[in-house]
């Protein structure tokens, strides 16, 4: 698409974040979690300003590059000229999370079939898989209020999220937040897997649920599984896979 590079216009820290966020968009597309152009991944730029990167609205996720990401402030004003708009509904949700959670440096929101299907179930996420236990250790729910383009919804979304890192948007989809792009991506991978497993299990016989005490101790299990690194444990391998397929996201 001949999008000019902005690397010379930003700090090395911002450029690395752009590369990581563009990689995340490509990974979401690779795993089949995108909804054409209608969901979003955002990341806060390092520094005291509340500046964010979000996708150029109208580009498919497998088209997004480090330079095409749009830099905006907390009021969604563009800080670097871009020919692409930002989706107001997408920014409402993401800006609400970033404003309430200083630790939420990356926010991923999806509309997958499995995620929306479980979000429409009254029971929500059931403790029936190892993946679900990781989610249930930090899960919150937010009731559907229509397409999220009204600022008045923000306080309710923030209150419902609280300190959780997994948010199920009822009748809508899934949301994860993390201290890094890698952390948010790994959380979404686990969240999506838990929903897919639940739907598959519900098509069979009677379900066996995990004991509540196991769910309570799962945070330590995750630290052991990732050697205390969280998303950083798997991120380098994911980047190597992307680079083998198409390193164009780095431009």
């Amino acid at each position: 698409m001949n999008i000019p590079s902005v690397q010379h216009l930003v700090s090395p820290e911002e450029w690395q974040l752009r590369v990581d966020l563009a990689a995340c968009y490509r990974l979401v597309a690779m795993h089949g979690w995108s909804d054409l152009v209608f969901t979003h991944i955002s990341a806060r730029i390092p520094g005291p300003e509340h500046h964010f990167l979000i996708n150029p609205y109208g580009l498919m996720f497998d088209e997004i590059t480090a330079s095409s990401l749009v830099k905006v402030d907390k009021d969604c004003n563009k800080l670097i000229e871009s020919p692409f708009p930002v989706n107001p509904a997408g920014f409402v949700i993401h800006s609400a999370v970033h404003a309430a959670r200083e630790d939420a440096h990356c926010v991923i929101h999806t509309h997958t079939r499995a995620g929306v299907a479980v979000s429409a179930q009254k029971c929500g996420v059931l403790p029936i898989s190892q993946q679900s236990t990781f989610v249930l250790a930090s899960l919150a729910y937010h009731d559907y209020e229509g397409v999220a383009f009204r600022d008045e919804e923000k306080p309710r979304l923030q209150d419902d999220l609280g300190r959780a890192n997994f948010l199920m948007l009822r009748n809508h989809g899934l949301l994860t937040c993390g201290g890094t792009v890698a952390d948010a991506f790994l959380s979404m991978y686990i969240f999506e897997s838990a929903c897919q497993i639940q739907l598959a299990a519900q098509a069979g016989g009677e379900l066996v649920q995990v004991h509540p005490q196991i769910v309570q101790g799962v945070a330590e299990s995750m630290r052991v599984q990732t050697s205390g690194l969280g998303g950083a444990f798997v991120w380098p391998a994911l980047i190597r896979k992307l680079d083998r397929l198409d390193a164009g996201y780095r431009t």
Side-chain angles (χ1 to χ4, degrees):
M1 298 180 67
N2 296 318
I3 296 171
S5 175
V6 299
Q7 186 171 3
H8 64 291
L9 299 176
V10 303
S11 67
E13 293 78 13
E14 179 178 333
W15 182 251
Q16 183 58 56
L17 181 62
R18 284 175 171 271
V19 171
D20 285 340
L21 187 57
C24 191
Y25 274 101
R26 298 292 184 103
L27 288 166
V28 165
M30 181 189 301
H31 284 83
W33 304 339
S34 59
D35 181 18
L36 295 180
V37 300
F38 298 113
T39 58
H40 311 278
I41 311 169
S42 62
R44 181 174 174 178
I45 297 169
E49 307 89 356
H50 284 258
H51 294 168
F52 309 95
L53 297 172
I54 198 164
N55 54 309
Y57 196 37
L59 265 62
M60 301 291 283
F61 282 17
D62 60 2
E63 294 180 302
I64 290 175
T65 64
S67 293
S68 69
L69 291 163
V70 184
K71 183 178 181 178
V72 297
D73 64 16
K74 61 183 179 61
D75 298 314
C76 203
N77 299 307
K78 294 180 188 178
L79 300 174
I80 295 179
E81 184 56 38
S82 170
F84 303 103
V86 175
N87 181 7
F91 190 74
V92 165
I93 292 174
H94 289 252
S95 62
V97 176
H98 286 297
R101 293 279 298 275
E102 286 288 331
D103 62 324
H105 293 165
C106 180
V107 177
I108 302 177
H109 172 41
T110 63
H111 297 161
T112 63
R113 284 173 174 78
V116 176
V118 174
S119 77
Q121 294 183 347
K122 189 174 183 179
C123 62
V125 176
L126 294 170
I128 59 170
S129 67
Q130 179 168 274
Q131 289 82 354
S132 72
T133 64
F134 294 127
V135 174
L136 290 165
S138 186
L139 176 63
Y141 294 87
H142 176 66
D143 287 340
Y144 187 61
E145 299 188 22
V147 178
F149 55 77
R150 293 178 294 273
D151 283 342
E152 66 187 47
E153 184 177 354
K154 286 184 177 183
R156 292 184 291 276
L157 189 151
Q158 292 166 336
D159 288 344
D160 289 338
L161 175 64
R163 303 308 301 173
N165 291 322
F166 300 86
L167 180 65
M168 180 158 275
L169 300 158
R170 290 287 194 182
N171 312 101
H172 185 172
L174 309 180
L175 183 147
T176 61
C177 55
T180 65
V181 173
D183 286 342
F185 179 83
L186 179 58
S187 292
M188 184 57 75
Y189 181 86
I190 295 168
F191 206 177
E192 175 65 20
S193 296
C195 291
Q196 291 185 17
I197 291 167
Q198 180 166 320
L199 295 178
Q202 288 171 324
E206 185 177 356
L207 302 178
V208 176
Q209 297 201 0
V210 176
H211 195 281
Q213 287 185 341
I214 295 176
V215 176
Q216 292 171 7
V218 78
E220 178 61 24
S221 299
M222 175 59 86
R223 283 191 289 272
V224 172
Q225 282 289 95
T226 64
S227 301
L229 297 175
F233 185 75
V234 297
W235 192 250
L238 291 168
I239 293 299
R240 290 194 300 271
K241 182 174 184 177
L242 270 185
D243 286 342
R244 288 194 300 270
L245 296 172
D246 180 4
Y249 69 94
R250 293 181 174 273
T251 60

